[in-house]
Every structure is written in structure tokens, then in C-alpha cells.
Amino acid sequence: MTTVLSSSPPPGAAADWTIPQAWSSYRPDEHAMWDRLFQRQSAMLPQRVTPAFLEGLDILRLSKPGIPDFNELSDRLMKATGWQVVAVPGLVPDEVFFDHLANRRFVAGRFIRTPEQIDYLEEPDVFHDVFGHVPLLANPVFADYMQAYGKGGLRAAGRGAIEKLARLYWYTVEFGLIRDGDHLRIYGAGIVSSYGESVFALDDPSPNRLGFGLKRLMRTNYKIDDYQQTYFVIDSLEDLLEKTEKTDFGPIYEELEGSEPYATDAVLPDDIVYHLGTQAYAHAKGQTQSKAR
Ligand code: HBI
Ligand code: FE
């Protein structure tokens, strides 16, 4: 998990860390970068992403050229599910992030990556945040899941359990896969906004693809700087919302307290295995080998 060291907002930001998007001050090359990324992703997504994502693109008119104006986007999103999109300078402290989500506000970076950063950048930019995250917020079930996550985050913060909850976010909202009959599709924003990972996550023999389990995810380490070694598969957005809403996380946090996390490539005896990864990609890069478990 990325932490933000400073706990007070930078100059120019409000107390809740929001800043004006200042849409009219984007340069033509910045709009052109959005269009380039948008075209590259939308060309390959129809066969790969969950239909709810494509519906969101349509409901929110995201195919309109140029970086979206957050006011216009928020109007459409508000009508669909009561969510808004607000601009922030970059990563914000966990509790600020959770508080926005709990109030159905999604925080998005206003800046866009440079051509040198086209395939990798550390802080979430407007393309990752808006193209990756916002379409599913037009889906009522996912919209409720994200709000529940924010509320859960505020509770977890009081119990020192943010790390466990952050793993749930990572393996669902950022890197989740979803079943579609006999096939898998992507829905996680980190995959959807990445050209390479949209292919890798579904088609490459390297990563594990395992069934979703709440406690399992909360106990699993993740990589922040490369493709995942394991993706977790949900049955449906409804199932994800139900399993998280109906479960009291308190006892899970207690049970996991002090337990050793699972490695990024672990496969356990009671995992549902959709695909047992070769881990060839990770091993070629010298990443962790399985520890015996
Ligand atoms: N800030 N802007 C921004 N975007 C995020 O996705 C984000 C954040 N701060 C904290 C955070 N994510 C995560 O660490 C939480 O999910 C735990
Ligand atoms: Fe993200």
C-alpha cells in the first residue's frame, strides 16, 4: 500500500484534499494523450471487459474526445448512481480517500501521463482514475460496493486493519477478474487502464487465476510495480457486494492478526483454481519463487 507522508493538504487544495480540475487549462497535447490511450484500450476491451464496464462508458458518454470535464461527468454519474468525480493532486491519505468513497465521491488525479510514461506510472493519473474506475461506478451494484468499501475503510482505520482491507481493494477494484459463463473477463481498473495487463491478466499462462474468498484476499500480499502473479475471480458484481456486505470484517481482522500473509504466487489446497499459473513471466524477471506452504 502506498502511504502519503504528509497529512495536511498541499497548498491550493481544500481541507478534503480536492482541487479544481480547471478543465479549460488542459493543453491540446494532454487531450491528445487521453484520446490515444482511450483508442488503444477501447479497441481491445469489448471482448475482454465485463459488459457493465462498456455500459458505463456509454451511459457516461466517455467516448467523447478529450479529457472528460469532471462537472459534466459528475452530472451524468449523479443521475445514474448518485456518485460524483472530484479532482485531487495525487495520492491522498487513506482516511481522506475512504471518507470520499463513503460519501459517493470518487477522487481522481487531474494530471495526465507524459508520452514517456505511457505504459507505466506510479501515481494514478486521470486516465487510470477516470477511464479505469469511473465506468463501473455507473453500475448500481458496483457503486454500492465502492461506498461500502469506503465505510469499511473508516472502520478498519480505527482497528489498525487498513492493510488487510487494502488487499481486498487491490484484488477486486484494481485487479479483479469476473466469470462470464465458461470465460473470464476483466473488471479491475488497474487492468482495464493497462494495455499490457489487459492481455496478460486473461491470456498469459504465467499468473494464477483463483476463486474469490474474502479472508483469502485479505491475507494475500500483492505487487505494486509489475503484473500480478495471482488474479482472483468473482462470480458476479452482485456476489461481490453480497459477500462483503453480509460479512462482519471484525472477526476476520482478529483471526488474521499476526498471521503470516500468503505469498503473491501461493496456491492453497482449498483454492478454486481456474488456471494454475506457470509463473514463467515472474520467474524470468527474478521475482519470488513459491515458498512451501
Ligand atoms: N489516493 N488519489 C488516491 N487514489 C487512490 O486510489 C488511493 C489514494 N489514497 C489511498 C489509497 N488509494 C489506498 O491506499 C486505499 O485503498 C487503502
Ligand atoms: Fe486505481
Side-chain angles (χ1 to χ4, degrees), residues 106 124 128-129 133 169 173-174 189-190:
F106 191 76
H128 168 80
D129 279 335
H133 285 281
Y169 191 86
V173 177
E174 294 292 354

Side-chain angles (χ1 to χ4, degrees), residues 103-239:
N103 289 287
R104 290 174 102 87
R105 287 188 301 268
F106 191 76
V107 298
R110 80 162 293 286
F111 73 99
I112 193 152
R113 66 197 70 183
T114 64
E116 294 71 44
Q117 296 170 312
I118 187 152
D119 287 316
Y120 181 72
L121 77 169
E122 264 170 36
E123 290 220 20
D125 73 340
V126 64
F127 187 75
H128 168 80
D129 279 335
V130 172
F131 183 86
H133 285 281
V134 175
L136 275 184
L137 290 173
N139 175 280
V141 176
F142 193 82
D144 285 354
Y145 175 69
M146 285 290 274
Q147 180 178 27
Y149 180 83
K151 290 181 177 173
L154 295 171
R155 289 189 295 267
R159 315 185 51 137
I162 286 183
E163 188 182 29
K164 297 174 190 81
L165 196 71
R167 292 184 184 128
L168 174 65
Y169 191 86
W170 192 263
Y171 281 120
T172 60
V173 177
E174 294 292 354
F175 292 98
L177 301 182
I178 185 167
R179 269 183 50 192
D180 174 32
D182 291 341
H183 291 88
L184 302 181
R185 285 181 176 256
I186 60 184
Y187 74 92
I191 309 176
V192 166
S193 64
S194 160
Y195 184 68
E197 201 151 0
S198 320
V199 175
F200 181 86
L202 282 184
D203 297 346
D204 201 282
S206 190
N208 300 319
R209 300 181 185 91
L210 308 176
F212 172 90
L214 200 51
K215 206 194 303 177
R216 172 70 162 91
L217 265 64
M218 287 194 183
R219 198 176 165 176
T220 308
N221 281 335
Y222 57 82
K223 288 218 148 73
I224 61 162
D225 57 356
D226 207 341
Y227 297 156
Q228 301 304 303
Q229 287 183 271
T230 299
Y231 298 92
F232 289 97
V233 181
I234 59 170
D235 285 337
S236 64
L237 297 176
E238 287 78 7
D239 190 59

Side-chain angles (χ1 to χ4, degrees), residues 1-285:
M1 184 177 52
T2 318
T3 44
V4 178
L5 295 176
S6 148
S7 60
S8 54
D16 67 357
W17 287 68
T18 58
I19 56 172
Q21 185 196 11
W23 185 83
S24 55
S25 57
Y26 284 118
R27 299 182 310 264
D29 62 297
E30 293 176 312
H31 286 302
M33 175 55 84
W34 171 281
D35 292 343
R36 182 175 164 193
L37 291 163
F38 186 93
Q39 273 151 27
R40 191 167 74 155
Q41 286 314 96
S42 46
M44 76 153 122
L45 286 181
Q47 303 308 313
R48 299 180 172 274
V49 76
T50 187
F53 179 93
L54 300 170
E55 286 157 21
L57 286 182
D58 195 45
I59 291 167
L60 302 173
R61 305 276 186 272
L62 278 167
S63 57
K64 192 174 154 184
I67 297 170
D69 179 335
F70 292 1
N71 291 327
E72 209 178 300
L73 187 57
S74 293
D75 284 347
R76 294 207 170 90
L77 194 53
M78 181 60 82
K79 286 190 189 110
T81 56
W83 275 75
Q84 287 171 271
V85 178
V86 294
V88 288
L91 286 171
V92 302
D94 291 335
E95 294 188 40
V96 173
F97 183 69
F98 296 142
D99 189 61
H100 281 294
L101 297 182
N103 289 287
R104 290 174 102 87
R105 287 188 301 268
F106 191 76
V107 298
R110 80 162 293 286
F111 73 99
I112 193 152
R113 66 197 70 183
T114 64
E116 294 71 44
Q117 296 170 312
I118 187 152
D119 287 316
Y120 181 72
L121 77 169
E122 264 170 36
E123 290 220 20
D125 73 340
V126 64
F127 187 75
H128 168 80
D129 279 335
V130 172
F131 183 86
H133 285 281
V134 175
L136 275 184
L137 290 173
N139 175 280
V141 176
F142 193 82
D144 285 354
Y145 175 69
M146 285 290 274
Q147 180 178 27
Y149 180 83
K151 290 181 177 173
L154 295 171
R155 289 189 295 267
R159 315 185 51 137
I162 286 183
E163 188 182 29
K164 297 174 190 81
L165 196 71
R167 292 184 184 128
L168 174 65
Y169 191 86
W170 192 263
Y171 281 120
T172 60
V173 177
E174 294 292 354
F175 292 98
L177 301 182
I178 185 167
R179 269 183 50 192
D180 174 32
D182 291 341
H183 291 88
L184 302 181
R185 285 181 176 256
I186 60 184
Y187 74 92
I191 309 176
V192 166
S193 64
S194 160
Y195 184 68
E197 201 151 0
S198 320
V199 175
F200 181 86
L202 282 184
D203 297 346
D204 201 282
S206 190
N208 300 319
R209 300 181 185 91
L210 308 176
F212 172 90
L214 200 51
K215 206 194 303 177
R216 172 70 162 91
L217 265 64
M218 287 194 183
R219 198 176 165 176
T220 308
N221 281 335
Y222 57 82
K223 288 218 148 73
I224 61 162
D225 57 356
D226 207 341
Y227 297 156
Q228 301 304 303
Q229 287 183 271
T230 299
Y231 298 92
F232 289 97
V233 181
I234 59 170
D235 285 337
S236 64
L237 297 176
E238 287 78 7
D239 190 59
L240 174 64
L241 177 64
E242 195 189 294
K243 286 200 169 116
T244 47
E245 265 190 340
K246 284 199 179 150
T247 309
D248 179 1
F249 289 8
I252 303 184
Y253 295 154
E254 269 164 44
E255 191 186 328
L256 294 186
E257 176 99 31
S259 65
E260 189 69 10
Y262 297 127
T264 51
D265 62 347
V267 178
L268 308 177
D270 47 7
D271 281 334
I272 295 169
V273 180
Y274 290 93
H275 171 77
L276 183 63
T278 61
Q279 299 301 340
Y281 172 84
H283 294 166
K285 289 192 133 193

